[in-house]
Amino acid sequence: MKTQRFLLAGMTVGAVLLAATSRGADWPQWGRTADRNMVSPETGLPDLRAPTGADTTFFTSEENPCVKWKVRLGTTTWGNPTATGGRVLAGTTGPDRQGGAVKCFDAETGNLLWQLICPARDFPTPLRPEKYEKYSPWEYLVAMTGQHGWVICSSTSVDGDRAYALTQRGEVVCLDIHGLANGNQGPFLDEARYKAGDGQQPATLEATDADILWSFDLWTEVVTRPADTFSNAALIDGDILYISTCNGIERWPNWHGKPAAPPNPDAPSLIALDKRTGRLLATDAERIGHALLHGQWSPPSLGEVNGKRLVFYGGGDGLCYAFEALGGVPQEPVKLRKVWSYDCNLPEYKGIGVHNYSLGDIDVVRDGPGDKEAIKRDVEKHRDADGRLLAMSEIIGSPVFHNNRVYVAIGRDPRHGPGRGALHCIDATGSGDISQSGRIWCYDQIDRTLSTPSVADGLVYAADLTGRIHCLDADTGRCLWTFDSGDETWGSTLVADGKVYLVTKKSFHVLAAGREKKALSSVRLGADCTPIAADGILYVLLRGMLYALQ
C-alpha cells in the first residue's frame, strides 16, 4: 500500500492579515500563522540534553523534569497538533483502530476535554474515465482501504471558539472549541448519528463528544477524488476558509508506462468556504486535475504583496500558484483569480514523463509487469552523478511567504522512493508565468521532501525525505551546512528559541540555529510529525505518545 504522507515573530503585514494570524504565542494552525512559516517566538524551550549519560535514557526516565505530561494517542497518528487558548488538538486513530478522531486536551493537565469520532466511510469506486478504459485493473485506494487505515492526517485550525478540521471521510467540519460541554449549538444537530457511523443506530452522546456546527462534504459537493486519503489544513482569512480538495490520481505498479486515470480531472483543487456556515464561495479554474502527478496535500498559505492579499497554493502538477484573496463574501460562488504560477520542476526532471511517474518505485521493480531487468536499466538512465533519480515531483509541504518571497520545495509520497528535489525562492511580486522571471534562486541539492521550510534570521531550514536538514542563506540560496540524521522524515523543521527541532521516523533531534552546524541532542524516539511550541511548552508526538515538554 502506498504511504501518505510562517510568518516570523514581530513581522507586520497589515491589520487584515494580522486578523488571520495568532494572538500571543499560540500555535492555532499549521505553521502557526497564515504564511505557514515554521517558526515560533517562544523562549525557554528544552534542548533535551541529558545532564549525564545518554539523551534517550534520560528522556524516558521518570526523573526527566522536561515532561509536563504525556498522553497516549491512537495506534496511528499523522495529524499534527495545534495549541491555543489552553487547549491542544490532534488528529489520530478512531476507536478499535477504525476511522479517525480529533482529540482536544487540556493544555495544563493533558486531560481529554472532548473528541470527534469519525467512523469509517464506505466510498464507492468512481467510474473510470472512458479514455482510460483499456487500462486495467481499476483500483481506487480510498474506496478499498484508504480511509480505514489513514485516519485523520490533517492539522486542525482554530479561530476564536471554532475549530476546523478535514476528516478522513472527506468532510470539512466546523467544531465548537468547547465540545458538547456547553450544549449542542447547531445548526448541525445529528452528532449521535454521525458518531455511530453510516447505517447504524444513533450513539449515546457524552459531554466529552464534539459539537459539530457545520460540515461540508468534499466528495459530494465538489466531487473531488483524492489519492490515498484526504489530508490538508484550513487557512482562515477573515470570514473565509481556504482548503485544498485533495483531488488526485492513483498510482499502481501495473500502470507503469501507461496513462493513469484521474477519477475526476475536472474537480477543483483549491476552494473557499464561508467559515461561519460552510457555504461554498469560490473554486480555482486552473484545471490542475488534468496535469496531476499524484496527490494534492499542500495546505495553502497567505501573504500581502504590494497591498494585495494573495493565497499561495502548491499544486499536484508541481506548480506553485498565487491567487487573489477574496475581498469579501460573495453571494454566489466565483472563480479565484490567478495572479501567477511558477513551475517548480526543473527541465532535467521531465525526461521520464508523467506516464512513467512511478519509475523508481520499489513496487514497480517488485510487482510491475514486464522485464524487471529492463526496468532497472531504464531507471539508471535517469540518475544524476550521485545516483539520485531525476523525475518530476509535486508540492506536498506548504509554500512559505516571507518578505515578498515564497519558499517552496517539491517532493513525493515516500512510496515513490528518493530522488533529487528542489527548493525554490520565488519573487512573489510578479504576474503571469513567472517560472523564469520570478526565480530568485533554486537549490537542487536537496532530495524530495514532504516538508515545509522554516525562515528565520536570514536563514532557511528545510528537511528532506532522507532525513537531512539543509541550512541555506535566505537571500542567495547558498548552502551553509547540512545535518544528516540517517533516518527518513515526513516532518518539518521547527525553529524556536535559538534551536532547530526535527522528528524523524526513529529519532527526535535538536540543533542550534545559526550559520554554524551544532547538534545539541538526539532522543531515540521517532514519529511522522512536526513539533510545535505554544505558551512556553514544546509539543511533540513520539511513538504514539503526545508529549508536553517544558
Side-chain angles (χ1 to χ4, degrees), residues 4-5 153-154 166-167 229-233 244 246 296-298:
Q4 174 81 35
R5 178 229 21 34
C153 305
S154 305
L166 174 59
T167 74
T229 191
F230 290 94
S231 178
N232 212 249
S244 171
C246 308
Q296 297 196 96
W297 303 295
S298 175

Side-chain angles (χ1 to χ4, degrees), residues 51-192:
T52 59
D55 295 332
T56 303
T57 302
F58 176 71
F59 184 86
T60 56
S61 71
E62 294 299 325
E63 290 74 31
N64 183 2
C66 295
V67 179
K68 181 176 182 179
W69 53 259
K70 59 183 178 181
V71 61
R72 174 68 62 183
L73 297 181
T75 53
T76 304
T77 300
W78 287 323
N80 215 67
T82 49
T84 184
R87 294 173 173 82
V88 182
L89 297 94
T92 185
T93 316
D96 301 321
R97 305 179 66 177
Q98 290 294 309
V102 175
K103 293 180 179 286
C104 178
F105 301 98
D106 185 284
E108 184 62 31
T109 65
N111 294 333
L112 179 69
L113 298 176
W114 55 262
Q115 61 181 339
L116 173 70
I117 302 299
C118 303
R121 177 179 182 177
D122 292 325
F123 290 101
T125 298
L127 295 176
R128 177 168 40 189
E130 183 177 350
K131 63 183 272 190
Y132 296 98
E133 283 186 355
K134 62 181 179 179
Y135 301 111
S136 62
W138 177 234
E139 298 165 314
Y140 186 58
L141 187 61
V142 171
M144 293 166 60
T145 59
Q147 63 95 33
H148 290 263
W150 288 126
V151 307
I152 291 184
C153 305
S154 305
S155 184
T156 304
S157 301
V158 181
D159 181 55
D161 60 357
R162 300 290 184 260
Y164 302 89
L166 174 59
T167 74
Q168 91 287 352
R169 295 168 55 90
E171 303 148 335
V172 183
V173 292
C174 174
L175 309 172
D176 182 347
I177 197 65
H178 303 287
L180 284 177
N182 64 341
N184 196 337
Q185 304 300 312
F188 187 97
L189 298 173
D190 211 3
E191 282 85 355

Side-chain angles (χ1 to χ4, degrees), residues 443 445 469-473 476-483 515:
Y443 174 69
Q445 294 307 300
I469 298 176
H470 303 254
C471 176
L472 312 178
D473 184 289
T476 67
R478 182 171 68 90
C479 182
L480 302 175
W481 53 262
T482 62
F483 170 80
R515 303 179 75 87

Side-chain angles (χ1 to χ4, degrees), residues 475-521:
D475 288 329
T476 67
R478 182 171 68 90
C479 182
L480 302 175
W481 53 262
T482 62
F483 170 80
D484 190 351
S485 71
D487 298 317
E488 182 176 287
T489 183
W490 298 6
S492 302
T493 52
L494 166 68
V495 175
D497 192 28
K499 306 174 186 71
V500 181
Y501 296 93
L502 178 71
V503 176
T504 70
K505 279 189 169 293
K506 295 182 179 180
S507 298
F508 183 20
H509 299 276
V510 186
L511 292 83
R515 303 179 75 87
E516 302 291 332
K517 178 171 61 176
K518 182 181 179 182
L520 299 179
S521 65

Side-chain angles (χ1 to χ4, degrees), residues 217-523:
D217 190 347
L218 295 173
W219 184 269
T220 59
E221 296 293 336
V222 293
V223 199
T224 184
R225 299 294 181 260
D228 297 354
T229 191
F230 290 94
S231 178
N232 212 249
L235 170 70
I236 307 297
D237 178 30
D239 288 332
I240 300 168
L241 179 156
Y242 298 92
I243 198 165
S244 171
T245 67
C246 308
N247 197 41
I249 179 171
E250 286 297 351
R251 295 286 179 179
W252 293 85
N254 49 359
W255 288 359
H256 168 65
K258 302 174 182 178
N264 186 8
D266 294 321
S269 297
L270 179 66
I271 63 171
L273 304 177
D274 187 326
K275 76 171 188 183
R276 301 164 298 180
T277 64
R279 181 171 65 88
L280 180 66
L281 301 180
T283 63
D284 77 279
E286 299 311 305
R287 295 173 59 83
I288 297 173
H290 290 266
L292 287 172
L293 299 173
H294 185 195
Q296 297 196 96
W297 303 295
S298 175
S301 56
L302 180 73
E304 187 172 299
V305 178
N306 296 333
K308 289 186 177 181
R309 295 189 331 284
L310 301 183
V311 176
F312 306 104
Y313 179 64
D317 54 358
L319 273 65
C320 184
Y321 294 88
F323 296 95
E324 273 192 12
L326 296 178
V329 176
Q331 294 299 313
E332 300 292 335
V334 299
K335 295 297 182 182
L336 294 170
R337 193 183 83 80
K338 183 181 73 174
V339 177
W340 54 256
S341 62
Y342 179 98
D343 190 348
C344 294
N345 278 298
L346 303 177
E348 58 266 34
Y349 294 2
K350 300 181 179 181
I352 288 180
V354 175
H355 294 348
N356 285 338
Y357 175 90
S358 298
L359 192 66
D361 293 18
I362 58 174
D363 286 345
V364 169
V365 175
R366 184 181 62 195
D367 302 325
D371 184 349
K372 303 300 190 293
E373 293 303 316
I375 294 175
K376 291 179 181 178
R377 290 193 297 270
D378 195 12
V379 171
E380 295 307 311
K381 297 176 185 177
H382 300 284
R383 296 194 184 278
D384 64 13
D386 297 322
R388 293 181 298 173
L389 188 67
L390 300 176
M392 288 189 289
S393 293
E394 56 266 273
I395 301 168
I396 298 178
S398 289
V400 172
F401 177 75
H402 180 68
N403 287 349
N404 276 353
R405 295 179 176 185
V406 170
Y407 298 85
V408 63
I410 56 174
R412 288 191 184 186
D413 175 332
R415 193 63 178 180
H416 292 302
R420 204 165 87 186
L423 172 61
H424 296 266
C425 176
I426 305 169
D427 181 354
T429 64
S431 61
D433 181 351
I434 63 169
S435 301
Q436 297 301 319
S437 62
R439 180 180 297 179
I440 297 176
W441 53 258
C442 173
Y443 174 69
D444 66 358
Q445 294 307 300
I446 191 171
D447 272 57
R448 290 170 175 167
T449 180
L450 284 66
S451 304
T452 297
S454 306
V455 186
D457 301 322
L459 302 176
V460 181
Y461 304 89
D464 64 27
L465 185 59
T466 67
R468 291 186 300 164
I469 298 176
H470 303 254
C471 176
L472 312 178
D473 184 289
D475 288 329
T476 67
R478 182 171 68 90
C479 182
L480 302 175
W481 53 262
T482 62
F483 170 80
D484 190 351
S485 71
D487 298 317
E488 182 176 287
T489 183
W490 298 6
S492 302
T493 52
L494 166 68
V495 175
D497 192 28
K499 306 174 186 71
V500 181
Y501 296 93
L502 178 71
V503 176
T504 70
K505 279 189 169 293
K506 295 182 179 180
S507 298
F508 183 20
H509 299 276
V510 186
L511 292 83
R515 303 179 75 87
E516 302 291 332
K517 178 171 61 176
K518 182 181 179 182
L520 299 179
S521 65
S522 178
V523 174

